Amino acid sequence: MARIARLPDIVANKISAGEVVQRPASVVKELLENSIDAGADKITVVIKDAGKELIRIVDNGAGMLREDALLSVERFATSKITVVEDLDALQSLGFRGEALASISSVSHFELKTRTAQETLGLRLRYEGGVLAEESGVQGEQGTTISVRNLFYNVPARRKFLKSNATEYHHIFEIVKSFVLAYPEIEWRMYSDDEELFHVKRPDILERLNIFYGDDFAVSMIELSEENDYLSIRGFLGKPAMQKRRKLEQYFFVNRRLVQNRMLSQAVQQAYGDLLVERQAPFALLFLGIDPSRIDVNVHPAKLEIRFDDERNVRAMFYPVLKRAIQLHDFSPDLSVTENDSLRSGLHQPAAARKFSFTDIPYHTATTGDLYANYKEGAFPEHSAPQQSSLYQTGMLPPQPTTGYALPRRELREGDDGLSSLLLSSFHEDDGVPNPNDSEPKIWQLHNKYLICQIKTGLMIIDQHVAHERVLYERAVDVMHQNVPNSQQLLFPQKIEFRPWEYEVFEEIREDLYRLGFNVRLFGNRTVMIDGVPQDVKSGTEVTILQDMIAEYQDNASKLKLEKRDNLAKSYSCRNAIMAGQKLSLKEMRSLIDNLFATREPYSCPHGRPVIIKLSLDQLDKMFGRK
């Protein structure tokens, strides 16, 4: 007697359900995909008891004839593909033809459907995957599927469902993702007979405000890029620099919701130092690609895809994100929060108001906007300068700022001391006011923070991390461009390394030379420093190099950094001006100008914020004027 037997369909369906139907949210996802594929422009989602008691999806799609309706609940019955080659040209969300069979096998399942050509619809009722009743029914065009008592006949699976709050959260997230991805569809959702939302207008930004609160959408950075291989569009959000909480990230490839590690990592890396530990920014991104270049059949629930050339996709995807992020103002705003009694309308003294950081700014602004804001506020008696003759004659395109051109980033030779390393990169025709004409509104607070009046309020800059950012980017550029950056010492400095220090020195010796440290061997674990980078202050050559090696070793043991990135971070951290160091007005102005000339002026290389803003409107609220 044969020991191997073909499983009955009812058993096979239950096994398949274990892969396709992991929880109530899985049912919602499969049914919504069917409704979208059916061409619906109105979809209603109804759940009870977090989907355990009832899941009902109502759509006004094409509907089905009796023959198709009966086949739709059969295993591996689909209208989406007929031959294997169709898998390389899929335009639909569903295609396997196993979802309804799996769902009906573990629930009390009911299907109502009617096409536009019929006057009477069809109702099919299944019990554990077996057809129990067929009848005619009145109804609108489209399909309604009701799934009751999910996993009623698989108690072990039902026992492993999470709390109602958790299961509801998963369902809501799935529905929300479809609402954002398909703005042309009118969506409505009910939970335990309560309407959660009803969105009609095809406006993604309006829908973002519905789900995330008023004014959320104004902080979005819109992307749009397309070539023959890949199209990218969507929105990126401002990271909440003072928070450590996971925000949503949605990736749609050919309008299919997917999870892809490469795309997630590219977003994280594009934000770079703007993010603090364990933080993820909001992303709603749509990628369009030839269906033959992706494999959507690599995950039981169709949540993952595989690109045929992932490296090429990343090479196009990452620069688009990085460019958009570098152009925008990501400095956090101070805000005032009030306690619950204040929000409830009870009068409380001003002391009840608390300072915090807003996650979302009032509107999306560029770095050029903020720099112009600073120039107009710190130098109020001077109007915005005209662009130089090169821009006026058309030899160079206008810079995307609001009147002030951002300072040019330059590599300099022969600079010496703090003032020289902060030398302004402006020229007379750049329109920078002469400091003798009037006193700029820039102050140093406790030799630690720079306070600047800006047109819309004030800006606070941490002098140490600001200088860190300047030095870090300069170091990265010098090492990659192989530009001479060494300043010869009149008297070479000798340094004797401990064994572990010498090992690190040997590891980074070549890049130290690129950075500007001209070092030669002088006996056992002893070296002579003949030259140092132009930013190193005289008299600190030995200390800086030792501190850099210690910092490099510490970073290497705790963080996974590329070697040159680690070296640049170590150099900038140990060589930057410190809290408590007094700066002249010229040095403060030069530091601010050089900061805004960097690619990412809003965070230091370790992720700490550099700039914090406080608007006049926020100040008025703090003092009870509003």
Side-chain angles (χ1 to χ4, degrees):
M1 181 177 178
R3 299 179 61 186
I4 298 177
R6 184 183 299 274
L7 288 173
D9 284 346
I10 190 64
V11 177
N13 285 340
K14 286 186 178 180
I15 294 174
S16 179
E19 296 181 337
V20 177
V21 187
Q22 300 175 352
R23 62 194 335 148
S26 307
V27 175
V28 173
K29 177 178 180 294
E30 297 289 346
L31 298 183
L32 289 181
E33 288 179 346
N34 287 344
S35 293
I36 294 170
D37 286 341
D41 60 14
K42 291 183 180 181
I43 299 176
T44 300
V45 180
V46 180
I47 61 173
K48 289 186 178 180
D49 196 27
K52 299 172 186 176
E53 179 184 337
L54 172 68
I55 297 171
R56 177 177 292 138
I57 307 296
V58 183
D59 71 58
N60 67 341
M64 292 178 284
L65 298 172
R66 179 179 182 276
E67 183 180 3
D68 287 338
L70 288 169
L71 281 173
S72 71
V73 192
E74 293 293 324
R75 205 162 174 238
F76 303 128
T78 179
S79 62
K80 314 298 172 54
I81 59 174
T82 55
V83 294
V84 69
E85 286 77 17
D86 291 340
L87 288 171
D88 294 330
L90 279 173
Q91 301 291 339
S92 59
L93 297 176
F95 57 91
R96 293 191 187 125
E98 60 178 337
L100 296 188
S102 299
I103 294 168
S104 67
S105 70
V106 291
S107 67
H108 296 130
F109 183 90
E110 181 183 83
L111 183 153
K112 296 178 183 178
T113 187
R114 182 176 77 80
T115 64
Q117 295 76 26
E118 295 178 306
T119 57
L120 188 66
L122 175 68
R123 174 176 176 266
L124 302 175
R125 187 172 61 83
Y126 290 78
E127 299 284 348
V130 178
L131 181 61
E133 182 183 351
E134 176 182 345
S135 61
V137 65
Q138 296 288 342
E140 300 290 331
Q141 175 190 334
T143 301
T144 299
I145 293 180
S146 301
V147 178
R148 299 180 183 274
N149 303 321
L150 187 63
F151 299 133
Y152 81 98
N153 56 353
V154 192
R157 292 295 306 280
R158 191 174 179 91
K159 182 179 67 174
F160 279 97
L161 292 179
K162 303 298 183 181
S163 67
N164 278 12
T166 300
E167 297 300 341
Y168 166 81
H169 173 74
H170 285 288
I171 294 173
F172 189 83
E173 288 300 310
I174 286 291
V175 176
K176 180 170 66 174
S177 67
F178 280 108
V179 173
L180 295 174
Y182 291 87
E184 71 274 21
I185 297 177
E186 178 181 335
W187 295 87
R188 181 176 288 182
M189 183 176 181
Y190 295 87
S191 176
D192 295 327
D193 299 322
E194 177 187 357
E195 182 178 276
L196 302 180
F197 59 80
H198 183 194
V199 291
K200 298 180 181 180
R201 294 179 55 188
D203 187 339
I204 295 182
L205 295 178
E206 181 181 289
R207 297 184 178 200
L208 285 171
N209 286 340
I210 290 173
F211 290 120
Y212 295 101
D214 294 341
D215 298 329
F216 180 86
V218 297
S219 72
M220 292 293 99
I221 301 172
E222 187 169 2
L223 303 176
S224 184
E225 190 93 3
E226 186 172 359
N227 56 36
D228 293 339
Y229 184 85
L230 187 72
S231 67
I232 305 167
R233 63 184 181 87
F235 302 91
L236 294 173
K238 176 177 178 178
M241 297 184 68
Q242 306 300 321
K243 307 285 186 181
R244 291 188 179 184
R245 60 187 179 93
K246 180 78 171 177
L247 296 178
E248 289 85 348
Q249 291 185 350
Y250 300 100
F251 300 100
F252 296 88
V253 177
N254 294 348
R255 302 194 83 180
R256 179 189 300 278
L257 179 65
V258 301
Q259 299 170 353
N260 184 272
R261 187 176 181 183
M262 180 274 291
L263 297 178
S264 297
Q265 288 179 340
V267 171
Q268 293 291 117
Q269 291 168 4
Y271 277 84
D273 297 329
L274 290 169
L275 301 176
V276 296
E277 186 182 1
R278 298 188 299 277
Q279 187 183 59
F282 177 88
L284 175 63
L285 298 171
F286 300 86
L287 281 72
I289 192 170
D290 186 337
S292 65
R293 294 187 175 274
I294 59 174
D295 185 357
V296 299
N297 195 28
V298 296
H299 189 276
K302 306 190 295 293
L303 285 173
E304 297 177 7
I305 64 167
R306 183 177 294 134
F307 295 98
D308 68 343
D309 189 348
E310 191 169 90
R311 180 176 296 180
N312 198 20
V313 172
R314 190 191 187 283
M316 297 180 185
F317 180 68
Y318 173 79
V320 173
L321 272 59
K322 189 69 175 177
R323 184 166 58 251
I325 290 168
Q326 287 181 346
L327 287 175
H328 287 82
D329 176 5
F330 281 97
S331 56
D333 295 282
L334 271 175
S335 67
V336 182
T337 58
E338 299 177 342
N339 59 27
D340 293 337
S341 59
L342 276 172
R343 285 191 291 267
S344 65
L346 299 178
H347 175 74
Q348 291 286 340
R353 299 188 176 107
K354 297 179 180 179
F355 294 98
S356 66
F357 292 94
T358 58
D359 293 350
I360 306 303
Y362 292 115
H363 58 85
T364 300
T366 66
T367 298
D369 292 334
L370 180 57
Y371 187 68
N373 198 350
Y374 152 69
K375 282 295 181 183
E376 292 179 34
F379 309 99
E381 296 181 8
H382 297 267
S383 60
Q386 298 294 320
Q387 295 210 355
S388 66
S389 57
L390 286 177
Y391 294 95
Q392 293 171 344
T393 57
M395 296 177 64
L396 291 176
Q399 294 197 26
T401 67
T402 56
Y404 288 96
L406 287 173
R408 296 182 290 273
R409 289 187 296 111
E410 297 177 352
L411 298 174
R412 306 175 183 81
E413 296 185 62
D415 293 343
D416 181 43
L418 177 61
S419 297
S420 58
L421 69 88
L422 293 175
L423 278 175
S424 172
S425 56
F426 283 109
H427 298 284
E428 284 301 319
D429 61 355
D430 288 319
V432 177
N434 188 327
N436 296 325
D437 293 345
S438 64
E439 192 72 13
K441 291 179 170 46
I442 307 171
W443 306 273
Q444 188 179 25
L445 179 65
H446 293 293
N447 295 339
K448 188 174 184 180
Y449 299 106
L450 308 185
I451 310 295
C452 315
Q453 175 177 295
I454 60 177
K455 187 177 180 181
T456 57
L458 65 88
M459 176 173 66
I460 307 171
I461 297 175
D462 184 324
Q463 66 184 39
H464 172 72
V465 293
H467 195 205
E468 234 184 302
R469 166 54 62 182
V470 172
L471 293 180
Y472 169 75
E473 292 198 8
R474 190 176 295 173
V476 169
D477 290 342
V478 165
M479 284 190 285
H480 282 91
Q481 296 172 10
N482 201 20
V483 178
N485 190 47
S486 184
Q487 183 173 272
Q488 293 302 112
L489 297 179
L490 184 60
F491 300 102
Q493 302 291 315
K494 184 173 73 171
I495 177 172
E496 185 173 342
F497 290 123
R498 287 172 288 185
W500 71 267
E501 289 177 322
Y502 190 76
E503 288 182 12
V504 176
F505 167 74
E506 285 292 323
E507 179 185 343
I508 62 176
R509 182 177 176 181
E510 182 179 340
D511 287 322
L512 279 173
Y513 178 77
R514 284 176 172 268
L515 185 58
F517 284 93
N518 191 352
V519 181
R520 56 186 168 88
L521 297 179
F522 192 73
N524 186 28
R525 299 200 307 271
T526 302
V527 299
M528 295 293 290
I529 305 175
D530 293 323
V532 293
Q534 58 182 356
D535 299 317
V536 175
K537 188 176 180 180
S538 178
T540 65
E541 298 87 359
V542 172
T543 303
I544 289 295
L545 187 55
Q546 287 180 317
D547 288 348
M548 279 176 57
I549 288 175
E551 180 81 6
Y552 182 94
Q553 178 71 3
D554 190 50
N555 288 343
S557 63
K558 294 179 181 179
L559 307 172
K560 294 181 179 179
L561 299 176
E562 186 268 333
K563 187 167 71 170
R564 285 186 180 175
D565 185 49
N566 188 354
L567 183 58
K569 282 181 167 64
S570 303
Y571 170 74
S572 62
C573 179
R574 295 301 181 176
N575 201 38
I577 57 178
M578 303 304 293
Q581 188 168 343
K582 185 173 179 58
L583 302 180
S584 68
L585 178 60
K586 179 180 178 181
E587 289 168 344
M588 289 188 284
R589 288 182 54 192
S590 297
L591 176 58
I592 296 169
D593 291 338
N594 279 275
L595 173 65
F596 276 101
T598 63
R599 292 179 287 271
E600 295 181 11
Y602 304 107
S603 69
C604 81
H606 303 91
R608 289 166 53 192
V610 175
I611 301 170
I612 291 173
K613 302 191 300 293
L614 183 60
S615 70
L616 284 173
D617 183 62
Q618 292 163 335
L619 279 168
D620 288 342
K621 290 179 181 178
M622 292 177 188
F623 286 100
R625 290 179 176 269
K626 288 190 176 181

